[in-house]
Amino acid sequence: MENITTNKIIDRLYKDQLEKKITKKSMQSVISAFVLAIREELKQGNKVSVAGLGTFTVKAKPAAIRKLPGMPAINVPAHTVAKFSASKYLADEVYNTKVGD
């Protein structure tokens, strides 16, 4: 299994263009703006749905006490986390994908 980075995605999008009208730098700017927009919306507590990909949400986690074996208990304060839920289309597409260890 390969680790695909943003730069590899940009390279693929650039190579897939028929007429090369969009530069790699422009693609990088668009992707960066897309990610920033999602982050900003999540920071405001909004849900972000991307058709064919999935939904990003923010979930509140309550304060908790965590205990690992052989370690003293630690208090974890209440906080929020970003969650992602794949769209049905994406989930169906990867359902039978073989994952290497």
Side-chain angles (χ1 to χ4, degrees):
M1 180 165 44
E2 185 179 353
N3 181 30
I4 303 300
T5 64
T6 304
N7 285 336
K8 288 182 183 178
I9 292 171
I10 291 168
D11 286 342
R12 180 174 175 181
L13 292 172
Y14 181 75
K15 289 175 188 172
D16 286 351
Q17 291 183 86
L18 294 177
E19 297 181 18
K20 305 289 189 255
K21 289 185 176 183
I22 303 172
T23 65
K24 283 186 184 181
K25 189 170 185 117
S26 294
M27 284 184 188
Q28 184 175 19
S29 294
V30 169
I31 290 174
S32 293
F34 176 75
V35 171
L36 180 61
I38 290 173
R39 261 197 325 237
E40 290 298 320
E41 292 299 326
L42 292 175
K43 281 171 56 176
Q44 294 176 27
N46 296 326
K47 177 170 79 169
V48 179
S49 297
V50 180
L53 184 62
T55 303
F56 298 88
T57 57
V58 177
K59 182 176 180 183
K61 294 282 193 171
I65 298 174
R66 300 284 185 233
K67 175 85 171 92
L68 295 173
M71 302 288 287
I74 59 169
N75 290 321
V76 178
H79 59 283
T80 54
V81 294
K83 302 292 278 182
F84 174 75
S85 178
S87 69
K88 181 175 179 354
Y89 174 77
L90 177 60
D92 289 348
E93 286 290 312
V94 301
Y95 186 76
N96 290 317
T97 300
K98 302 288 186 238
V99 179
D101 293 327

